Amino acid sequence: IYVSKQEDAKIALAKAFCLYSSRILSKEPQNIPSANLLVIGPTGCGKTYSIELLAKKAKMPIVKVNLGNFNETLEDALRNFPKGQMNGIIYVDEADKVLMNPSDPRNKSFIGYLENGVYNGIDLSGMLFILSGAFQPLFDAKKKKEPSATGLTREDLENYGVPKEILGRLPIIGNIMPMTIETLIGILQSPKSAVNDYVHFFKTERDISIKVEERAYQAIAEEAIKTSQGARALKGVCDKLFDWYFFNAESGKSYVIDQKKAKEILGEK
């Protein structure tokens, strides 16, 4: 369980859940601010992982709908919620596909549900709504004007035309930044990384000792960053790297993966 850096998003998620927990436990929830949250960040930066990790740690039920698929709606998530469950997280992924298109009819459903309405007998006042999306065209445009920009603000979204009626019901906004080489290296060196999983597998199952040197992590991260898929690319790159040892390493021997060896294997077609 590991989320590297991303302090702005961590703070936003923590604040949202703190307010949400207080609301559902309080005898006067109307006196506690709303906690609904919008998480912004490019693909592969950890949006879904962070949100699902929050739900797991909090032991809260969570349902997800992906609005990148035009045939999916918020109602799909609500229908999938455990019957009779009064509290939980409704996670709306790729919400930017709808919010950046005011003519999309799915915008209308957001307003009613975020207003603590009722859906098929489910009291939505006990739900925490978390919306996420890349808003990539908007972020790219901002970066051209402000090269040092590190995220999007509520004002940026309003100026672009995201419905104010919806933004007003999302009081908390958190930005998850694009992955950097350094961030990816941090993930690779975490205890539960794909690298450590492979090293453990070869040692315990094949009696093959593999040591991964510091500079090799950079070679793996550099290969992953080329895909523009962020952390999602790490598994595939690690698979390619360790495939070589599946077919070439001998039981009872030790191997070292340095930067040169990593680049050599990863550069193979």
Side-chain angles (χ1 to χ4, degrees):
I1 298 174
Y2 191 80
V3 177
S4 180
K5 300 184 179 180
Q6 307 294 8
E7 298 306 316
D8 182 72
K10 288 178 181 176
I11 289 171
L13 282 164
K15 178 181 177 182
F17 189 73
C18 179
L19 289 172
Y20 168 71
S21 299
S22 297
R23 281 174 67 90
I24 63 176
L25 294 174
S26 175
K27 294 180 179 179
E28 298 181 333
Q30 69 276 8
N31 295 327
I32 299 173
S34 174
N36 294 327
L37 168 69
L38 174 62
V39 180
I40 300 171
T43 184
C45 67
K47 299 188 297 295
T48 297
Y49 180 77
S50 298
I51 293 165
E52 291 180 343
L53 179 59
L54 170 66
K56 181 179 179 180
K57 286 292 188 180
K59 298 181 180 179
M60 296 292 293
I62 180 172
V63 292
K64 176 184 175 182
V65 61
N66 187 328
L67 296 187
N69 302 321
F70 190 77
N71 61 340
E72 289 195 33
T73 66
L74 187 54
E75 285 80 2
D76 293 322
L78 296 172
R79 278 195 293 269
N80 291 330
F81 215 80
K83 192 173 182 180
Q85 179 69 41
M86 303 299 292
N87 302 315
I89 297 172
I90 297 174
Y91 173 35
V92 185
D93 194 15
E94 295 199 46
D96 55 321
K97 301 298 191 298
V98 174
L99 297 181
M100 294 178 68
N101 181 13
S103 63
D104 191 310
R106 290 175 292 178
N107 273 301
K108 293 181 180 179
S109 66
F110 276 131
I111 298 175
Y113 296 136
L114 292 173
E115 273 286 285
N116 295 330
V118 175
Y119 176 81
N120 281 358
I122 300 175
D123 180 5
L124 300 183
S125 64
M127 304 298 173
L128 172 61
F129 282 86
I130 302 180
L131 280 61
S132 75
F135 295 89
Q136 202 61 52
L138 178 52
F139 185 69
D140 291 344
K142 183 173 183 178
K143 286 289 284 185
K144 286 184 178 179
K145 294 181 180 179
E146 306 171 35
S148 61
T150 58
L152 296 174
T153 66
R154 186 176 302 277
E155 184 179 8
D156 294 328
L157 298 169
E158 289 180 355
N159 290 341
Y160 189 86
V162 175
K164 293 183 179 180
E165 298 89 345
I166 295 176
L167 286 176
R169 293 165 174 81
L170 297 168
I172 304 173
I173 295 177
N175 284 275
I176 295 187
M177 301 311 300
M179 290 290 172
T180 64
I181 295 290
E182 292 72 22
T183 306
L184 292 177
I185 290 174
I187 294 173
L188 288 167
Q189 293 179 326
S190 68
K192 295 297 291 181
S193 74
V195 170
N196 286 329
D197 286 346
Y198 270 121
V199 169
H200 178 74
F201 167 79
F202 278 104
K203 183 65 177 176
T204 59
E205 302 297 327
R206 298 290 184 88
D207 190 26
I208 296 171
S209 178
I210 299 176
K211 178 184 178 182
V212 183
E213 291 191 345
E214 188 79 22
R215 297 290 293 277
Y217 287 108
Q218 178 156 345
I220 298 170
E222 287 173 352
E223 189 69 16
I225 210 85
K226 293 176 185 177
T227 69
S228 299
Q229 292 297 308
R232 289 178 184 167
L234 290 177
K235 179 64 166 57
V237 175
C238 289
D239 287 345
K240 182 177 180 180
L241 177 64
F242 284 95
D243 278 353
W244 189 92
Y245 294 90
F246 269 107
F247 298 102
N248 296 280
E250 297 181 28
S251 179
K253 290 193 175 183
S254 297
Y255 296 85
V256 174
I257 303 179
D258 57 14
Q259 186 178 39
K260 181 179 178 181
K261 185 63 177 178
K263 287 188 173 183
E264 176 187 322
I265 296 174
L266 295 174
E268 293 178 355
K269 301 299 183 183

